[in-house]
Amino acid sequence: MTYILRRLGFYLIAAWVSLTLNFFIPRFAPGDPASALQARFQGKLEPSAMAAMKVAFGLTDEPLHVQYFTYVKNLLRGDLGTSIAYFPAPVSEVIGKALLWTLFLAGLAVLVSFALGTLLGILTAWKRGSWLDSVAPPTFIFLGAFPYFWMAMLLLYALGFVGGWFPLLHAHSSHLSPSLSLEFIGDALYHAVLPAGSIVIASLGGWLLSMRNTMIGVLSEDYITMAQAKGLSERRVMLHYAARNALLPNVTGFGMALGFVLSGSLLTEIVFSYPGQGYLLFEAVKSQDYPLMQGLFLSITVAVLAANWLVDIAYVWLDPRTRS
Amino acid sequence: MSFFRQLLSNRKANIGLTLLGVFVLIATIGPYLVRDASEFLTTPLSPPDSEFWLGSTSQGQDVFAQTIVGARTSLLIGFLVGIVVVAIGATVGIAAGFFGGWVDDVLSLLTNVFLIIPGLPLAVVLAAYLEAGPVSIAFVLILTGWAWNARVIRAQTLSLRRKDFVAAAIVAGESRLRIMFFEILPNMTSLIVSGFIGATVYAIGAQVGLEFLALGDVSKVTWGTNLYWAANNQALLTESWWTIVPTGVCVALVGFALVMINFAIDEITNPRLRSEGGWKAVVRAAGVTPGFSTPVLRRGSLADSNALADSSAPALSKEAS
Amino acid sequence: MSSDEPTSTVQDTAVSSSPAARGETARAVDGEPPILRVEGLTKYFQVGGGLRPKQLRALNDVSFTLRRGEVISLVGESGSGKSTVLKMLSRLEQPTSGRILFKGRDLLAEEPRSASLSYRGQVQMIFQDPFGSLNPVHTVAYHLERPLVRHRKATTPEELRRKVLELLHTVGLNPPEEFAAKHPHQMSGGQRQRVAIARALAVDPDVILADEPISMLDVSIRMGVLNLMDELKRSRGIGYLYVTHDIASARYIGDRTIVMYAGHMVEGGSSEELLDSPAHPYTKLLLEAVPDPRGNIFRELPAKSGAPQLVDPPPGCPFAPRCPEVMDVCRRESPRPVQLRRRDPGAPERFVRCHLYEEDQAPPVGEALGEA
Amino acid sequence: LATLLPLTGCSKRKAPEHEPGVAVVVPSTRATWIRNFNPFFESQARWPAAAGIYEPLVIFNRATGEFVPWLATAWRWEDDNRTMVLTIREGVKWSDGEPFTPRDVVFTFELMKKFPALDQSGAWNRLEGVSAEGNEVRFAFKRPFVLPALYLLGERPIVAEHVWRNVDDPVKFSDPEPVGTGPFTRVLSFKTQVYELGKNPNYWQPGKPKLDVIRVPAFAGNEQQALSIIRGEVDWSAAFLPAIDRIFVAKDPEHHGYHFPSLEGTVMLYPNTQRPPLDDVRVRKAISHALERERIVRIAMQGYTRVADATAFSDLYARYHDPRVLEEEGDWTKYDVARAEALLDEAGLRRGEDGIRRLPDGRPLKLDLNCVVGWSDWIIAAQIMVKNLQAVGIDSTLRTYEFGAYFNRLQTGDFDLSISWSDGGATPFVFYQRLMSKDTVRPVGQAAESNWHRFSSARADELLEAFAAASDPEEQQRLASELQREYVRHAPTLPLFPGPTWGQYNTKRIKGFPTKDNPYAPLAPYKSPGHLLTLVELEPVTKASSGQAQN
Amino acid sequence: MSSTPPPAASRARPGEPLLSVRDLCVEYVTPTGPVRAVDRVSFEIGRGQVFGLAGESGSGKSTAAMAAMRLLQPPAVITGGEVHYEGRDVLAMGEDELRAFRWKEIALVFQSAMNALNPVLTVGAQIADVIERHENVSSAQALERAAELLALVGIESSRLRSYPHQLSGGMRQRVVIAIALALNPPLLFMDEPTTALDVVVQKEILQQIAELKERLGFSILFITHDLSLMLEFCDTVGILYAGRLCEVAPAKELFANPQHPYTRGLMRSFPELHGPKQRIEGIPGSPPDMRSPPSGCRFHPRCSVAIPVCDQEQPQLITLAAPALARAVGAETDTPDAPVGQQRGHRVACHVAAQTAGSSDV
Ligand SMILES: Nc1ncnc2c1ncn2[C@@H]1O[C@H](COP(=O)(O)OP(=O)(O)OP(=O)(O)O)[C@@H](O)[C@H]1O
Ligand SMILES: Nc1ncnc2c1ncn2[C@@H]1O[C@H](COP(=O)(O)OP(=O)(O)OP(=O)(O)O)[C@@H](O)[C@H]1O
Ligand SMILES: [Mg+2]
Ligand SMILES: [Mg+2]
């Protein structure tokens, strides 16, 4: 338990560092949100409009550290500020739904990829040298070497545009409103097939390899030989003795990967017009929307940290050795 | 060193190294052999033909030349980031692992924080605010990429530090720096190499991604900007696959080559991973299907020399009464 | 601790050719100051971390004296603190309290944080695992050159080379030229351990701390290494602290043997006397448990197995919970060391930490195994 | 994954639900929608809040160069051209049924005065006061300001006093349920991916709008948007489509169409006239002659626009364009390397051994060309220009900066050459003011809103002042010609091509779009408030014709 | 243990050993060629007997034992010999047959208990699953049996729910023994079951095993490199050197009268606990590299009494003539009712020993 609490403390520090970084980096750069707005309209914005926007956005000339403390103070009160790119919506509102969609997409992708990759890893390791083992790893390594977005674009084009089998964009059909109905969930899943699929294809190889490697390591442990010698069924040895142990190091990787995919789905989201955080962030960066950037960073960081924390807990649950 | 010799004799490593070698060669001398990659030469979006092997972009640039020239910056950044990331990771990791105590506390906190900070978003934010260009991208990738190596190397240092040869070096009166870099570091060759490769893969991929997002200098010809331009000009809608496929495949091939090398390193450092090809061949040759139980191959199916040597001795049954 | 008394000269008691008995220790003349004296050495490790870290009492009040050309064997079960003693003396770990007097100098006072190069040049160590103690990436020559260079034992490359070959020859690795170029993995365990010894010898030390140097070696080559150590003791007057859990080898090479239990020295004295007439119940148990080809497997052990509690230990004797002869006082009070009467007055002093004994009482005789 | 297919049903994919009377419009690329109809922030509000939900007094029709009366029916100048009087349309009702009155106009402008953040056009920099009299509103100016005034004030959206009076902070007000006078005032649904506006049943133009609903989906990327447009899922959009004839029009030539008139300002190469040798007009003209504008337009702009001439005018100012000036002063936008070399030689910049020209002090002539990261058309243009400059012996390098940095350099005058836009207001006044007036020049190091090249001429200032006060069209025309002459003579900036506006349509379900043949208004849906002219004209294709079109 | 079936003794045909290994050869396929780790090893284990295999690290003890159970993993192959268990040919068994055979007939106790227990399953589950698998019982019954088994090795049944890491080394080793006894097999292979343990714990466990053996009547193949332990614990002992058996004899006989120079060397490698201190030398040199073993007698490079034939010809394992035995040990000779392992008496594979002691070609 203290382990979990200690991790929690660490996560708080990590969150703070990442937020602080995110506060200062954009502010040390030239330009401000108003000129960024100008950029978005490619100069079609009147200078007077820019002046007015600066007033509206409440851009101050206070020294940075003062701004920083205000920012931290507001943050602690749960006030993320007002978005600039989506003026005058509060950042929390802009982020809210996007976060859910990103979590859904990334979560789905990671889960599927982890499950499939792990399963393949188990099977390839168990049947070493079989045709599956000689085909699957190199294939998925090769597929995984393609850039995420490249894969996404290709899938989109081939299966969505040319084939017409999958929707081209968005997280759900526009005639449906988010609800927990079966229809909506099915629709959301259907929309997630291509974007999640491209992430899955790109990341499956990693899971496969790491699982296969740990699994092979575990397979040469004495307790596996002993389990075999005990005459247990292959399934039981493979799953309860080998895979269960080989899974442990992979679970840690799982937390990392969740974080990675959460942030890495950015490109996929852009390709699929997926209303998640990735594209928001990109837009926030482009329009120097400090508050939104901070908000997004906060939510991504918190999501990543939460994922890691959950994994920590899962690890404790999975590995009796960490419980004492 | 035997590690490198082993690497050279591994089949997977050979595939990877050969492939990588080809690309390095392309990156080094290729640009001198092709047309000016940024010149607007021909009809936009002309499909591959005998003159323009991979067709032209929507601006009429030579895709073949762009693919070749793009390799240079992309690989350069990849390797540069790989080297620096490993150097930082190794220094931080070894220092943390070796000194322990508060040094370790501070360094591993830093490492873990950087590990857990969402890398790509940070990279996007950073890249957006630095002067656009390969150097900035490299910087961003280094900043967001070093932590993983530091962590791995720290863990390895911790286990090496417990090894008696480190204690022996201390007892022999060696200085700490010497122990860190002459006793511990050389024992992590494979880890460093695989960390370097991993970082390179990451760097190439992330660079391509960032440039694709127009966060690089799109006036330079790199793999990332090639894809940026292709996407920007709706390569797929205009059905000009040749502007997007070659670069994507090249990125994948380089990634594949690097991962294969890492795969091989895993096999070398972890003998358990090595394939049982020889064993399987022997067993299969004897007409036995390999299963869990030890196969029984009767009468000297292995190394006939052995069997011969033994057959000179009278059969053992002699002593049986 | 009474062992500091500048007492005994070890005499050749038994007429035997055993190295320990053959009496090179006789050179440890009365009056010559001991090389190494340890007083009240204590080591607590922090364990558990978190909010309430606990103390693991790995060593409690350990004191002994090592003289030139003397071998002290430390025996005891796993976790009894043998290695910890060596780590303190090699300055790999910092003692919690206590004093280490090296050639009369108070080490911890003079070099509080880490050992000086000069100390490193006089106290060397041999580790248990001959593979682990040699760096797999370096050649044998490198391993021997480093201490020579570091401690300025050789100035020119030729001299360096000569000394390396000399060392290899000394430890019986012939031909030295061939071995100098080898990597650790190209040698057998015994050869590796010889290299480790050669490395320790390179700086011409006065004391060698040997932590189970033979336990990882094949049985057939163990004696070779032990005998080599013994020869070096005789020819160079090196003092050894020899840690082992193999009591027979402790006796074989050790002039004196100290038995440790739960970080306490529970009994000590001349190796032969100690093993022939063990006084402490734990020593008896240990001896009883040693496999003996002549023995009867069903012979009852005097006590049960069980690990002592090192974190928050109960008061009293650490062995009390397992002791067959336990008395009330044992659970209350930690026993003080008691001097026992020696069979041979010339032998090193004999002590035991047990409430069963009184000062100058004679140890129980020969009850260990019928023979002797 | 395959198991999901039956769950959702493939059939649904085939025909995107598209009821008659619904127009799908994609005015801009945005990942998600945030409910904000506050019309003051045109750049932030959901389309078409500023002109469509709310409405302006007049609309400048860029396609025709004329002002179209809207909520105001007429305008006139009084008081030595210092007061503009607008007659307010009668019989207009707010969508909640309240009548629209001149009070609302006054309220709106006073709100803008009270909250400068709302004054996006900077009206109160010029205005002295606003008042209502009967069905007229009087705008008092500090100085005569005839030409731009209508544009400045008339296109502001007018809000309802009875609603906005109660808004605490109109700057942060997101106006979720707008009450406007426009054709589409009802928010039927609002989701992050798409929102729908229903028509205003009380709209003041009888029989309009003819559409029932406009639906605006969100697209994060161009790729996506383009895919949807090509598939015919969108009726009206403003995307950049490469090879548009092939990938869009050819897909359904009967219904798909586009129209890219040049109704923006002109994209130019700005030389920093404070930095020798760019202070020398010969050098500037030489550089201009060296540029292959045809190629730039063909490659960078995919031929979607034309090359600019030396007046720098886009189609927006066609009315004022005076070709005689070009004849008399010479058009230095013609690609002519020989002339460029000659001018450079004449300016004393002779080629060195290495082929690079030398400044009088012997240093090589190096000119960096600044551009924005990721602005692909400009970058290609810049790449071509860099090559052009190298060809005439100028050691030129392309530097791309992130917009913030780029803009900062531009504004503070920290550049040699920089590609950038120019103003595209209703008259050439502001356009030339920002290119040649002393008022707009700021010292190097200080951020300038315009005139980044930092050029001014006394003659230009004179002409501009007269122009601002002239209400006689002939006089205006004459002054415009003189301004053109002044510009062509000094070549303060080097125009490249007029900026095109983008617009595609699909007449399968909706008809009435402006086309090349009938450019009654700008097609671009993002050109506010001009798009309102189009919006009220769109009508559903009737059942009979649509049925035929679908097969 | 009332519920366990009686040991398989009833199935026994008199006079036949329980396990008989003949000329067993095992090779490892390595990149540099095959390594013959076990070379023509023959031994027999009678009912109720403890047969010990001793030898240095790498001499092939584990390989031989595991091969007899067909448990060796790649790259090992069995290249010759026979293994008969109660007359059944183990080397001819198929995969399924082996699965049923193992543990039921021969169970295995691994060297390191920590590694032999699955760290993520409770001790109870690991005992129960073997019972469930082989015997048609419910999991509740299996757990009940598991508790009984734990009690048998002296661990309270509350430990059923413990994970391996929660137990001390000695307890873990006992758990492994309990698992091995779960099906009450007639034969137990014990591969260095106590090397990782303290002497006291080691002694306790060995005593416990010996006691169980008496009670349940199983036989043991006991592997160790500790000769003293071997002699103390086993009835008959085989000494392996570099993959070959160099001497097989009853423990007492071997102790009193070692014939092979290697055995003698080994005996001389253990200092005495008592009595006069003597300098002892061990054996010079080091064990051979199995990838290129010496020709002839594999021990000859380290042998002090080697004769020319030693590096030419591989010595055969011959039974020493009774007279030689009598000379050495006294009157002890084979008796018809003696356990099978001892009937063969004292065998040695050494040219020198064969010359001096003379062989008995019965
Ligand atoms: N760094 C450390 N942190 C915490 N506890 C330690 C540390 N080092 C040793 N200990 C503990 O101190 C006690 C003594 O350990 P030590 O290594 O000295 O035993 P040992 O007698 O050498 O045992 P072995 O025979 O197993 O080598 C043990 O209980 C051990 O767990
Ligand atoms: N997987 C393998 N590949 C190649 N050689 C092997 C392999 N496993 C074992 N060997 C070789 O087989 C020989 C016998 O090994 P084995 O494990 O049977 O020895 P052992 O007598 O049990 O030793 P220990 O006392 O160390 O357990 C050794 O020389 C070893 O090098
Ligand atoms: Mg120790
Ligand atoms: Mg073994």
Side-chain angles (χ1 to χ4, degrees), chain B residues 296 298, chain E residues 19-25 41-43 68 78 80-85 88-91:
Chain B
V296 180
R298 292 282 172 195
Chain E
L19 181 79
S20 122
V21 174
R22 285 183 153 267
D23 298 348
L24 185 66
C25 295
V41 167
S42 308
F43 58 87
I78 298 170
E82 285 163 43
V83 177
H84 284 278
Y85 176 86
R88 292 160 70 191
D89 186 354
V90 178
L91 299 193

Side-chain angles (χ1 to χ4, degrees), chain A residues 87 170-171 174 271 279 283, chain D residues 30-31 36 120 191 193 218 224:
Chain A
F87 189 82
H170 288 169
S174 50
V271 173
Y279 190 75
E283 210 166 344
Chain D
R30 223 62 221 275
N36 174 16
Q120 302 251 318
K191 294 176 214 150
Q193 294 176 353
Q224 279 304 325

